[in-house]
Amino acid sequence: MSENLKPSRYEPIALSSESTVVAEFVRPDDVREERYQSEAELERDLIERLQAQAYEYLRITSEVDLIANLRRQLEALNSISFSDAEWKAFFNEKIAGANDGIVEKTARIQEDYVQVLKRDDGSSKNIYLIDKRSIHNNRLQVINQYGVDGRRSNCYDVTILVNGLPMVHIELKRRGVDIREAFNQIDRYQRDSFWAGSGLFEYVQLFVISNGTLTKYYSNTVRDGHLAELRGKRQRKHTSNSYSFTSWWADAKNQPITELADFTRTFFAKHTLLNILTRYCVFDVDRKLLVMRPYQIVAAERILQRIATATNHRQLGTVAAGGYIWHTTGSGKTLTSFKAAQLARGLQEIDKVLFVVDRKDLDYQTMREYERFEKGAANSNTSTAVLQRQLEDPNARIIITTIQKLSRFVAKNKKHPVYDAHVVVIFDECHRSQFGDMHTEITRHFKRYHLFGFTGTPIFADNAGTGGNPRLRTTEQAFGDKLHTYTIVDAINDRNVLPFRIDYINTIKTAPNVRDKQVSAIDTERALLAPERITQIVGYIREHFDQKTKRSASYRLGGKRLAGFNSLFATASIDAAKRFYLEFVDQQKNLPSAQRLKVGLIYSFAANEEETDGLLGEEEFETEGLDQGSRDFLDAAIQDYNGLFGTSYDTSADKFQNYYKDLSQRLKNRELDLVIVVNMFLTGFDATTLNTLWVDKNLRAHGLIQAYSRTNRILNSVKTYGNIVSFRDLEQATNDALALFGNKDASGIVLLKPYADYYAEYQSRIADLVSLFPLGKAITGEAAQKAFIKLFGSILRLRNILTAFDDFAGNEILSDRDFQDYQSLYLNLYAEFRSASEAEKESINDDVVFEIELIKQVEINVDYILMLVERYLKVKGTGQDKEIRAAIERAINSSPSLRNKKDLIDQFVDSVSPKAPVDVEWLAFVTRRKAEELGRIITEEGLNAEETEAFVDNAFRDGAIPSRGTAITRILPPVSRFSKNNDHAVKKQVVLDRLGAFFERYFGLG
């Protein structure tokens, strides 16, 4: 063992039981290695370090040995000796059930980790698979190069056993290789072999991927969900189960710990790993395992530490007993607060945990989120009487309520036993409304409380108001110490939220010889509501809507294929919202319904609605206070909505709340294109499908960040940033807000670079491309091919960003034809490298990273074609049909995945009738043609029809035609394997080629 691996060097970290996340990680003064490190050396080094941290190393190569070790470990943990009969029954029924998959085994570790053993003498005994109370009773072992024969033979790099069960798997690639290759390797393992044998590797809860330099971790259901989506046939884009949802490990100051050696010292410290497995995973009601990120763990533990110290120091009922957590919007505050509440509920001394929100919309949304994590945890209530019953019920340990209801309860009950209970009060989004009389009233009555606040936008002296209690103007004054910080800069650097791209629109540039349209950004609200300006803004939104919301890119969400994203339009006042809504109606009235944007409208009464300080007023679900004209207008807009979706809402109290809920759900499902708001939805509303905020409203400080942050939730690889299109001059306000809520350099980190910077880089790369790889000249030699792949991949990434800038249109440099030709070369190389890798049972060469996803996200897809077909049918015979038919031809020719489907689409267009929905007719057409073509192959090749149909069905289910195994043999006609011309091998290859072409032609179409 080398000098720098002495156990004493790491003992303080390994034995500390205070914090799961190290407070500040300082790299040891190890001498940095300079020589090349192979993957095998990286693996050996990792195992040595784990041994130095008291992991037991085992040389296990077979499942028999793995199961025997599991038996020994469970016997030791539970102080028992199994008889052979007991062990056999317990193993087969309680550990390796034939019908158990990843979800069932995850539930066993997270929820049902105590299993009942039936003993030979008829008695029963509880058997712990993992000890969650005394975590150091669990035994950690490490194995490597464990081989499994499944669909294919696999050899796993490094696995950590907890009490003999594989619970953490580590996949390594050598330094210099893209870390995503390790992610993809696990993809193959889970598809090909984790389920093999007794399926013990389906107990893996966490995956760690590393290339030595970079290291990340993620949960098993991220991977399982990704595979399920790959099997979805129609869509192969990454979504919420993609690499984007892997996490960096970090210290409590949010400094990433990426080097594998450093990651091992901290993440794999025994108490840290066991805490993560036993305390900081949430298995939600959707049966997904959520593993918390380091900043979330730190926040939860800081709250628990504050509860303990304040209780010991007799500080209950004071500001010193609580504190606030500053975690930027979109960073998962609900999960963090839930875990903190759950852990606090488990403390013996705590009687109640109250989760307090400040508006009904948040009450509804937060209640839904809490219910996700634990069914029944969110005892949401509709009245003060219900709240009173819950406060008096000892079994209602976590209660969600609004600050208004809690305040009314206090006002009606000046004396109540709950005031003497030991309570933890957690405020979600603790800004503005908690700083007034209600806050004072509540804290005056409760005597033994801890007050904790979560916020993405704290109130500092710089953004505090001037009214109200001067001692309660800032978050710190109201809630106490800042316990942990995770800023918008941290979140963007970690890729946990998206950066913003902001357009400040003053002039709309149009084609040459066309008069510029001016969109004024001047100060008087009256001038800002001039009809000409409203017309221009609505025209601009409609003209640029598809571009900003990426309608040419499709993805899968909730079992549906969707094209692009949707948006909010923030207006300055109810009057403005009404005028903009009317203008959308007017500009779209003569368009076919398929070409109209689906526009919604919502607003409600706010006492200070005319304020223009940019801090977002406190909007309630009140319509009673609206003037009659505004209420009648809103009723008419809701009637439009009812006509669109077959609903029956209006502005009466209950129906308006239900309208809000329905509208928010349709926004999340991307059934609406744009919703015009004043303040509603600009705080506390999360919809991952939102990517654009159109702003004609003064915003500043936390109001600005809250509004902008509606757009930057991570969804998939198509959604690369949050779009802000501002029709006001908000540049200085934006820079000030980013500086306040990030750091003094925040605006340079959060925002994308200016267009000119990206375009200069793009020009340079295109010049290199044309110079080094002129079209018409073959790219010969592997080195040149790899250089081309790298260069063209970088151009694809730049184009992906540049397409969102108005200036890029018409300045692409390469003609459409040249770009298509280069893309064809790129796709051809991808196919060649992929086929080579298939032959070698390996992934694409380690040093080649293809940006195929970027091609697929900008290419034309079937959904787009069907939309054009729908338009074509509506104008068939009018003269416009030829133009649309030409557009269909161009679209097919420009799409890599549709080129081999051109004849199918042409035949469909010729045969389709306007009577049935186009997508229904398309599905029927594809099903019919698919059956016909497969039948022809079966007949011409003399194949076994039943076996061939099953073989093809399985291929479409699994996403590939299997070229090995017995399945292909079963479909072939009988021939002698020993004929001297090897007819069997030739026939097999012919059939595979034909079925492969058939598969490529129909995969993703139906």
Side-chain angles (χ1 to χ4, degrees):
M1 189 180 298
S2 62
E3 183 65 26
N4 66 335
L5 294 180
K6 287 182 179 177
S8 60
R9 173 71 65 89
Y10 314 114
E11 261 188 337
I13 295 176
L15 298 181
S16 168
S17 59
E18 292 180 5
S19 299
T20 301
V21 177
V22 67
E24 182 177 9
F25 183 74
V26 179
R27 292 203 68 191
D29 297 326
D30 296 351
V31 177
R32 182 164 173 78
E33 289 278 0
E34 294 184 358
R35 65 183 183 81
Y36 175 92
Q37 185 183 45
S38 68
E39 186 178 315
E41 288 170 323
L42 185 68
E43 184 177 305
R44 273 198 304 274
D45 184 64
L46 170 62
I47 291 170
E48 284 184 10
R49 290 180 187 278
L50 291 173
Q51 286 179 280
Q53 291 173 204
Y55 285 66
E56 179 190 3
Y57 175 66
L58 296 178
R59 296 185 184 279
I60 285 182
T61 56
S62 71
E63 188 174 62
V64 171
D65 294 339
L66 189 66
I67 294 171
N69 177 66
L70 172 61
R71 177 176 176 174
R72 289 193 297 271
Q73 297 307 310
L74 291 180
E75 287 177 335
L77 177 67
N78 292 279
S79 302
I80 187 179
S81 290
F82 294 104
S83 72
D84 289 346
E86 287 171 347
W87 172 248
K88 182 178 180 182
F90 184 78
F91 180 79
N92 289 333
E93 294 169 18
K94 308 293 187 177
I95 294 177
N99 296 321
D100 293 347
I102 290 171
V103 171
E104 291 77 17
K105 289 168 183 171
T106 298
R108 197 167 288 144
I109 296 302
Q110 296 300 327
E111 299 174 339
D112 306 320
Y113 51 92
V114 181
Q115 295 286 320
V116 178
L117 167 69
K118 296 290 184 187
R119 308 223 62 175
D120 291 339
D121 61 8
S123 63
S124 298
K125 179 174 174 58
N126 285 341
I127 300 295
Y128 283 75
L129 300 181
I130 187 168
D131 188 338
K132 294 196 175 187
R133 282 192 176 277
S134 304
I135 61 170
H136 286 289
N137 287 340
N138 300 293
R139 299 176 175 216
L140 297 178
Q141 299 168 306
V142 58
I143 64 175
N144 70 317
Q145 296 303 313
Y146 181 85
V148 176
D149 288 324
R151 201 173 285 155
R152 294 179 183 173
S153 295
N154 292 130
C155 204
Y156 308 148
D157 286 350
V158 179
T159 306
I160 289 173
L161 311 178
V162 181
N163 305 324
L165 284 171
M167 285 202 202
V168 184
H169 179 68
I170 307 154
E171 191 61 30
L172 303 173
K173 292 295 174 187
R174 63 173 170 79
R175 294 178 191 273
V177 173
D178 185 1
I179 188 177
R180 289 166 184 78
E181 281 301 304
F183 183 83
N184 295 334
Q185 187 83 35
I186 290 171
D187 211 356
R188 290 188 293 279
Y189 290 163
Q190 211 154 4
R191 185 177 63 238
D192 293 343
S193 59
F194 273 172
W195 45 265
S198 300
L200 292 183
F201 272 79
E202 290 185 316
Y203 275 101
V204 170
Q205 303 292 285
L206 302 177
F207 292 106
V208 173
I209 52 176
S210 181
N211 59 8
T213 310
L214 301 175
T215 309
K216 301 191 84 175
Y217 70 103
Y218 56 98
S219 71
N220 61 7
T221 50
V222 166
R223 170 59 36 219
D224 190 47
H226 178 50
L227 287 172
E229 283 161 5
L230 289 178
R231 292 192 294 270
K233 303 177 190 168
R234 297 184 188 179
Q235 184 60 32
R236 283 182 279 180
K237 284 192 196 315
H238 294 331
T239 68
S240 57
N241 295 297
S242 73
Y243 175 81
S244 303
F245 281 73
T246 58
S247 298
W248 300 109
W249 189 242
D251 64 16
K253 292 188 173 181
N254 307 318
Q255 298 302 312
I257 301 172
T258 61
E259 181 78 24
L260 181 58
D262 301 336
F263 184 93
T264 304
R265 291 181 177 103
T266 52
F267 186 90
F268 286 129
K270 290 176 92 171
H271 78 283
T272 295
L273 181 62
L274 289 169
N275 268 341
I276 292 169
L277 287 169
T278 59
R279 288 162 69 89
Y280 296 114
C281 288
V282 175
F283 195 48
D284 71 14
V285 294
D286 295 326
R287 316 320 277 160
K288 295 199 182 305
L289 185 67
L290 310 175
V291 56
M292 294 174 72
R293 296 174 175 136
Y295 62 86
Q296 295 175 307
I297 295 171
V298 175
E301 292 196 339
R302 295 270 169 90
I303 287 173
L304 295 179
Q305 289 164 7
R306 180 54 57 95
I307 291 171
T309 56
T311 303
N312 291 339
H313 295 158
R314 302 174 186 269
Q315 295 171 319
L316 300 187
T318 70
V319 171
Y324 75 95
I325 303 295
W326 173 13
H327 283 185
T328 190
T329 49
S331 60
K333 289 194 299 297
T334 307
L335 173 58
T336 312
S337 60
F338 166 74
K339 179 51 74 171
Q342 189 185 52
L343 293 172
R345 177 189 62 182
L347 296 175
Q348 196 169 2
E349 66 269 24
I350 299 299
D351 298 313
K352 296 276 182 192
V353 178
L354 302 181
F355 195 86
V356 184
V357 294
D358 67 347
R359 285 188 296 284
K360 292 175 187 173
D361 56 337
L362 275 174
D363 185 27
Y364 171 69
Q365 182 156 328
T366 308
M367 184 264 291
R368 291 275 308 272
E369 285 293 300
Y370 258 48
E371 286 288 319
R372 246 185 86 214
F373 302 139
E374 182 179 326
K375 201 72 177 165
N379 297 306
S380 184
N381 50 76
T382 55
S383 70
T384 308
V386 174
L387 173 61
Q388 181 167 338
R389 282 201 301 273
Q390 291 173 329
L391 289 170
E392 294 166 357
D393 179 2
N395 295 317
R397 299 293 303 281
I398 296 180
I399 301 168
I400 290 186
T401 187
T402 64
I403 194 167
Q404 292 85 356
K405 286 176 197 160
L406 190 56
S407 180
R408 283 198 296 271
F409 168 82
V410 170
K412 289 181 181 178
N413 299 273
K414 296 298 182 184
K415 293 184 178 179
H416 194 278
V418 77
Y419 299 147
D420 294 314
H422 192 170
V423 298
V424 172
V425 187
I426 296 175
F427 286 86
D428 183 60
E429 291 299 347
C430 62
H431 54 264
R432 289 181 70 82
S433 67
Q434 287 94 335
F435 297 173
D437 295 337
M438 289 188 287
H439 183 284
T440 306
E441 192 75 5
I442 291 166
T443 55
R444 194 167 63 204
H445 283 78
F446 284 89
K447 298 179 181 67
R448 304 175 63 232
Y449 63 79
H450 305 269
L451 217 59
F452 296 104
F454 280 79
T455 181
T457 51
I459 307 300
F460 302 111
D462 286 352
N463 62 312
T466 55
N469 187 338
R471 291 170 299 177
L472 289 176
R473 282 186 185 159
T474 68
T475 306
E476 188 171 337
Q477 285 176 304
F479 290 92
D481 297 338
K482 180 174 64 184
L483 300 180
H484 192 249
T485 302
Y486 186 75
T487 70
I488 192 167
V489 177
D490 295 321
I492 288 173
N493 284 340
D494 290 346
R495 303 292 190 267
N496 287 330
V497 298
L498 301 171
F500 301 120
R501 198 185 82 73
I502 305 176
D503 292 339
Y504 301 105
I505 305 298
N506 287 322
T507 301
I508 299 178
K509 293 181 180 177
T510 56
N513 305 321
V514 176
R515 181 176 58 85
D516 276 1
K517 301 177 193 170
Q518 299 297 316
V519 177
S520 307
I522 53 180
D523 291 333
T524 54
E525 289 297 321
R526 211 167 92 183
L528 291 169
L529 290 179
E532 303 84 5
R533 183 174 180 275
I534 287 175
T535 300
Q536 291 166 10
I537 287 175
V538 171
Y540 181 90
I541 292 172
R542 290 183 54 242
E543 182 182 346
H544 293 84
F545 187 86
D546 286 1
Q547 172 203 7
K548 296 300 182 187
T549 60
K550 294 204 165 194
R551 286 303 167 100
S552 64
S554 74
Y555 57 95
R556 199 162 179 80
L557 181 74
K560 295 180 181 176
R561 282 183 295 177
L562 300 177
F565 307 103
N566 54 5
S567 64
L568 288 175
F569 183 13
T571 61
S573 63
I574 289 174
D575 187 26
K578 288 154 57 177
R579 292 178 188 227
F580 279 114
Y581 184 81
L582 280 177
E583 185 62 28
F584 271 105
V585 171
D586 188 56
Q587 290 194 23
Q588 299 194 127
K589 65 186 176 187
N590 295 322
L591 292 176
S593 58
Q595 294 178 30
R596 292 180 203 157
L597 294 178
K598 292 180 181 175
V599 178
L601 172 71
I602 192 166
Y603 53 74
S604 64
F605 175 73
N608 300 311
E609 186 239 320
E610 294 302 325
E611 277 187 7
T612 55
D613 68 353
L615 292 182
L616 297 182
E618 294 298 314
E619 219 172 7
E620 293 291 346
F621 281 86
E622 305 298 333
T623 52
E624 296 298 327
L626 291 171
D627 64 77
Q628 194 59 47
S630 293
R631 184 161 181 176
D632 289 346
F633 190 97
L634 184 56
D635 261 321
I638 293 174
Q639 287 308 310
D640 292 346
Y641 181 93
N642 291 337
L644 203 56
F645 296 110
T647 50
S648 57
Y649 304 116
D650 57 40
T651 60
S652 60
D654 290 343
K655 285 193 174 182
F656 184 68
Q657 284 201 40
N658 289 331
Y659 171 61
Y660 169 88
K661 292 175 184 179
D662 195 72
L663 184 76
S664 68
Q665 198 56 49
R666 291 187 194 278
L667 253 179
K668 292 180 182 188
N669 295 342
R670 224 235 61 199
E671 295 174 55
L672 280 159
D673 296 314
L674 180 146
V675 175
I676 300 171
V677 301
V678 181
N679 287 340
M680 275 185 155
F681 289 110
L682 296 183
T683 60
F685 175 75
D686 290 341
T688 54
T689 58
L690 273 172
N691 86 321
T692 299
L693 176 71
W694 315 91
V695 184
D696 191 39
K697 177 186 187 74
N698 289 333
L699 293 169
R700 72 177 179 88
H702 50 278
L704 181 144
I705 294 293
Q706 286 281 341
Y708 282 15
S709 296
R710 299 314 102 211
T711 66
N712 73 336
R713 302 300 194 269
I714 290 176
L715 174 63
N716 53 29
S717 55
V718 181
K719 186 179 176 184
T720 48
Y721 42 77
N723 264 327
I724 313 298
V725 182
S726 177
F727 301 105
R728 305 261 178 131
D729 185 3
L730 297 180
E731 185 166 9
Q732 190 58 51
T734 299
N735 291 339
D736 291 346
L738 293 174
L740 184 62
F741 295 109
N743 57 44
K744 60 186 175 61
D745 300 316
S747 58
I749 298 170
V750 174
L751 302 180
L752 294 182
K753 293 181 290 187
Y755 168 79
D757 291 8
Y758 287 112
Y759 192 70
E761 188 178 352
Y762 176 78
Q763 284 178 305
S764 172
R765 298 285 168 87
I766 292 292
D768 289 345
L769 180 72
V770 173
S771 166
L772 297 171
F773 305 104
L775 287 169
K777 186 176 178 183
I779 304 172
T780 54
E782 191 172 299
Q785 290 172 350
K786 288 179 179 177
F788 170 76
I789 290 163
K790 184 177 179 182
L791 178 58
F792 193 71
S794 69
I795 289 169
L796 286 172
R797 289 192 296 273
L798 283 167
R799 277 178 68 105
N800 182 48
I801 293 172
L802 284 167
T803 51
F805 289 90
D806 296 347
D807 308 51
F808 189 58
N811 292 303
E812 295 90 346
I813 304 175
L814 286 180
S815 69
D816 290 344
R817 174 65 61 84
D818 285 355
F819 182 76
Q820 281 183 306
D821 287 346
Y822 276 117
Q823 186 165 288
S824 297
L825 294 172
Y826 188 76
L827 289 168
N828 185 54
L829 286 174
Y830 171 70
E832 288 180 6
F833 275 86
R834 186 173 61 172
S835 61
S837 71
E838 286 290 320
E840 296 165 14
K841 290 190 181 178
E842 280 297 329
S843 64
I844 292 167
N845 290 23
D846 286 341
D847 51 350
V848 178
V849 180
F850 283 94
E851 299 291 344
I852 292 300
E853 192 176 328
L854 290 175
I855 290 177
K856 291 190 173 180
Q857 76 182 48
V858 299
E859 73 165 309
I860 304 302
N861 53 32
V862 171
D863 292 322
Y864 181 75
I865 297 292
L866 294 182
M867 182 188 73
L868 289 177
V869 172
E870 201 163 11
R871 288 185 190 171
Y872 171 76
L873 292 174
K874 286 176 181 172
V875 297
K876 196 171 182 181
T878 65
Q880 294 180 41
D881 56 348
K882 291 179 181 174
E883 186 180 327
I884 296 177
R885 189 67 189 257
I888 293 171
E889 292 288 312
R890 287 195 302 272
I892 296 169
N893 291 335
S894 68
S895 169
S897 65
L898 295 182
R899 284 179 294 190
N900 64 343
K901 304 168 177 62
K902 184 176 186 300
D903 64 312
L904 272 179
I905 295 168
D906 285 341
Q907 289 167 26
F908 173 69
V909 176
D910 290 336
S911 66
V912 68
S913 78
K915 293 178 183 175
V918 169
D919 56 345
V920 174
E921 289 220 0
W922 169 250
L923 194 58
F925 174 81
V926 167
T927 304
R928 187 170 63 251
R929 289 301 309 273
K930 191 170 155 189
E932 289 171 4
E933 288 193 27
L934 183 60
R936 194 156 53 247
I937 294 172
I938 290 170
T939 302
E940 291 173 2
E941 299 296 340
L943 306 180
N944 180 312
E946 192 175 329
E947 292 285 358
T948 303
E949 286 166 5
F951 177 84
V952 168
D953 285 345
N954 290 338
F956 280 104
R957 182 198 66 200
D958 297 334
I961 289 280
S963 57
R964 293 177 175 80
T966 58
I968 183 65
T969 307
R970 286 199 297 270
I971 74 174
L972 296 174
V975 287
S976 171
R977 293 187 178 214
F978 307 104
S979 65
K980 84 174 129 167
N981 294 327
N982 198 9
D983 293 339
H984 177 82
V986 172
K987 183 68 173 177
K988 177 181 173 183
Q989 194 56 51
V990 168
V991 170
L992 279 174
D993 288 345
R994 289 198 69 176
L995 289 178
F998 171 81
F999 175 83
E1000 290 297 331
R1001 180 170 164 80
Y1002 284 99
F1003 188 78
L1005 286 188

